[in-house]
């Protein structure tokens, strides 16, 4: 009997090993093929990278084609993503995927066939379109070196066709100009070039925008000469608000986003870190407060801000006269900075801080990084050297991560503030509300240590839809006028009230929650977010609170807020 049991166990073990081996073999796939050019000639030394499409974090398999352009490998997985890192003289191919649900790869570059677990791929690499630009001064014929060239073609068509179709919906691409005034680039672009835009920005020259009408041939270089018209230098004398020369004043470019109406140059401005030599005015005023500088590359499409410890000013070259024969010296007087000071009554807890945001004329869009506000133990703050415009003060909390600052959320934002040059604004924040506290109760199998919960509370009123300007507005002046009319309307005032009454908080590890400031009114808990992986979806029962307008400054008790499983 013992012998029979041993035989049965041995048979089961052998069967298990056999099944495991079959499973392992079934998970493998053999891939082979070749990389060729458009004339079907093999391309050697091409780098190929293959990823497990179901486990991208796994180390990829690297291959290199041999002298016959061939490659072969046994993959330990069946679904794969295929990338060709082709030589410089050919275009790359990436993102080709093969899975159980598909028997071939849908790409005009690839011929594929399948025989059981074997996949054969013939990949055709295309020669790129080469363009060589020579940038010259239109008067001296010397190379222009301090320039940036932007190129835009119909990128959407690249996804569907080798050659593309007319149309220009793609974003701008940036190419730096070499010291000799030459720039060469390869574009995976259309042979139909009527919609290809070229924009050249060079310090000291008039911006140049042209259409590239020539038809390109793959593998051949189109040489094109562009002439830039030089512009005269500019001169300014900067005067402080006290009437003295502003020594050491510097120039900062103003993002086109601040003007609200120049979407194209806002897109170009995203390259600001790569084109600082073209974008910046690298000049500083001397002991007499004067400075001379080259005509800015962005021309009238970009304004600049003069900064000095005593004040600031904004200018655009459209307001400065120029002469080919001499440098006209212009006088610019600085505006005084503004100040916001006051007292913040709500409690600022650990990992919390008060922040100031400068916003656009629409009174919603931020234009600068947040300014941290230093608040003393009595709640006093003093924010100096502010530009004129609209501002918002907000109370933010940081949480999560090893340092407790991986995530953050604004707990409460206050009413918008408008300040003018030289104004000192005195504020007391938190007079019209009180704090609120409570406890979040989770289902029995959840722990606060495993999840970081964030709670939102909204006013229990019908809030208007998000405002959108009327179609057909053409410039910044019309846009600002539209926003001013909106915020002065009844619907605008209701929308603003909803925004300032929307409050948030982060739940502590013991389940306690604390809103530092809530205005009187009826509220409902609208959202509970978690940064951890939940075992099952949670539901939030309808929960409402009414905070009375009775002048009481003590924390309002929310009680227990129970979260249920769905």
């Amino acid at each position: 009997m013992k012998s029979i049991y041993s035989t049965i166990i041995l048979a089961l073990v052998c069967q298990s090993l056999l099944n495991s081996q079959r499973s392992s073999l079934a998970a493998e796939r053999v891939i082979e093929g070749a990389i060729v050019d458009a004339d079907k000639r093999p391309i050697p030394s091409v780098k190929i990278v293959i990823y497990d499409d179901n486990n991208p974090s796994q180390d990829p398999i690297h291959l290199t084609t041999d002298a016959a352009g061939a490659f072969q490998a046994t993959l330990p997985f069946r679904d794969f993503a295929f990338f060709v890192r082709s030589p410089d003289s050919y275009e790359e191919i990436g993102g080709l995927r093969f899975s159980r649900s598909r028997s071939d790869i849908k790409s005009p570059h690839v011929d594929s066939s399948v025989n059981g677990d074997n996949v054969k791929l013939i990949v055709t690499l295309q020669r790129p379109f080469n363009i060589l630009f020579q940038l010259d001064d239109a008067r001296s014929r010397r190379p222009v070196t301090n320039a940036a060239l932007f190129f835009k073609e119909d990128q959407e068509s690249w996804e569907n066709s080798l050659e593309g179709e007319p149309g220009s919906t793609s974003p701008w691409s940036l190419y730096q100009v070499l010291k000799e005034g030459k720039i060469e680039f390869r574009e995976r672009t259309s042979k139909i070039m009527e919609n290809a835009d070229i924009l050249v920005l060079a310090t000291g020259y008039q911006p140049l925008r042209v259409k590239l009408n020539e038809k390109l041939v793959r593998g051949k270089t189109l040489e094109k000469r562009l002439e830039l018209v030089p512009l005269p230098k500019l001169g300014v004398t900067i005067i402080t608000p006290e009437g003295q020369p502003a020594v050491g004043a510097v120039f900062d470019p103003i993002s086109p986003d601040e003007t609200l109406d120049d979407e194209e140059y806002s897109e170009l401005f995203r390259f600001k870190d790569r084109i600082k030599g073209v974008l910046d005015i690298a000049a500083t005023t001397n002991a007499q407060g004067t400075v001379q500088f080259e005509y800015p590359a962005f021309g009238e499409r970009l304004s600049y801000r003069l900064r000095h410890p005593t004040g600031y000013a904004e200018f655009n070259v459209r307001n400065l006269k120029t002469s080919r024969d001499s440098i006209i010296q212009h006088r610019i007087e600085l505006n005084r900075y503004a100040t916001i000071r006051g007292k913040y009554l709500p409690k600022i807890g650990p990992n919390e801080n008060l922040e100031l945001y400068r916003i656009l004329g629409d009174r919603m869009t931020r234009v600068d990084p947040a300014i941290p506000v230093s608040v003393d133990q009595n709640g006093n703050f003093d924010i100096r050297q502010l530009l004129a415009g609209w501002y918002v003060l907000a109370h933010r909390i940081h949480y999560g991560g090893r340092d407790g600052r991986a995530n953050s959320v604004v707990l409460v934002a206050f009413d918008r503030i408008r300040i003018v040059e030289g104004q000192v604004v005195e504020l007391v924040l938190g007079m019209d509300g009180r704090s609120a506290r409570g406890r979040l109760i989770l289902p029995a199998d959840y722990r606060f240590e495993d999840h970081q919960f964030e709670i939102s509370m909204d006013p229990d009123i019908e809030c208007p839809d998000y405002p959108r300007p009327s179609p057909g507005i053409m410039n910044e002046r019309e846009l600002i006028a539209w926003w001013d009319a909106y915020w002065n309307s009844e619907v605008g005032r209701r929308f603003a009230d909803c925004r300032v009454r929307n409050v948030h908080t982060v739940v502590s590890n013991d389940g306690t929650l604390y809103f530092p400031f809530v205005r009187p009114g009826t509220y409902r808990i609208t959202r509970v977010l978690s940064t951890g992986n939940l075992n099952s979806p949670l539901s939030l029962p309808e929960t409402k609170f009414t905070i009375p307008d009775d002048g009481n400054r003590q924390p309002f008790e929310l009680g227990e807020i129970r979260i249920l499983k769905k």
Side-chain angles (χ1 to χ4, degrees), residues 175-351:
Y175 297 89
Q176 301 285 22
V177 175
L178 303 179
K179 292 182 179 179
E180 299 80 12
K182 296 181 180 180
I183 179 169
E184 181 175 9
F185 64 91
R186 300 179 177 89
E187 274 295 330
R188 191 166 144 250
T189 183
S190 172
K191 286 177 66 175
I192 307 172
M193 299 300 295
E194 285 80 3
N195 291 303
D197 286 308
I198 303 295
L199 175 64
V200 181
L201 301 178
T203 302
Y205 293 89
Q206 182 175 312
L208 175 65
R209 185 164 186 167
V210 296
K211 290 285 187 179
L212 188 64
N213 295 314
E214 293 85 349
K215 292 186 179 294
L216 303 182
V217 178
R218 289 188 178 275
K220 294 186 178 180
T221 299
L222 167 69
E223 297 186 7
K224 189 173 181 66
R225 183 172 175 270
L226 299 177
E227 291 188 347
L228 303 183
V229 177
L231 295 172
K233 285 187 176 182
L234 298 169
V236 293
T237 299
I238 313 300
I239 305 299
T240 70
E242 293 76 21
Q244 301 298 317
V247 182
V250 296
F251 298 81
D252 290 334
I254 300 175
S255 169
D257 289 336
E258 294 192 34
T259 64
L260 295 175
D261 65 344
D262 200 333
E263 294 183 5
E264 182 176 64
Y265 270 60
S266 294
E267 182 185 344
L268 299 180
F269 198 77
R270 66 189 172 92
F271 295 107
K272 61 182 183 297
D273 293 334
R274 294 174 55 191
I275 59 173
K276 287 184 66 66
V278 174
L279 184 66
D280 292 350
I281 297 178
T284 305
T285 54
N286 60 20
Q288 289 74 44
T290 63
V291 63
Q292 295 178 357
F293 53 91
E294 299 282 354
Y295 196 91
F298 274 62
E300 298 182 2
R301 304 295 288 273
L302 190 68
S303 295
Y304 287 82
R305 183 174 291 123
L306 281 160
R307 283 187 177 273
H308 188 262
T310 63
Y312 72 97
E314 297 176 0
F315 77 94
N316 189 290
V317 294
R318 71 168 63 96
N319 305 123
L320 304 181
K321 294 181 179 179
T322 60
S323 170
R324 288 186 55 179
D325 302 322
S326 61
I327 299 175
I328 301 176
Q329 203 71 21
H330 300 81
R331 177 186 173 96
I332 298 179
E333 297 182 0
L334 300 180
N335 302 308
R336 296 182 187 275
Y337 290 112
T339 298
I340 298 177
R341 65 167 63 112
K343 182 182 288 289
Y344 189 61
L345 300 181
K347 175 185 175 182
I348 298 179
N351 284 338

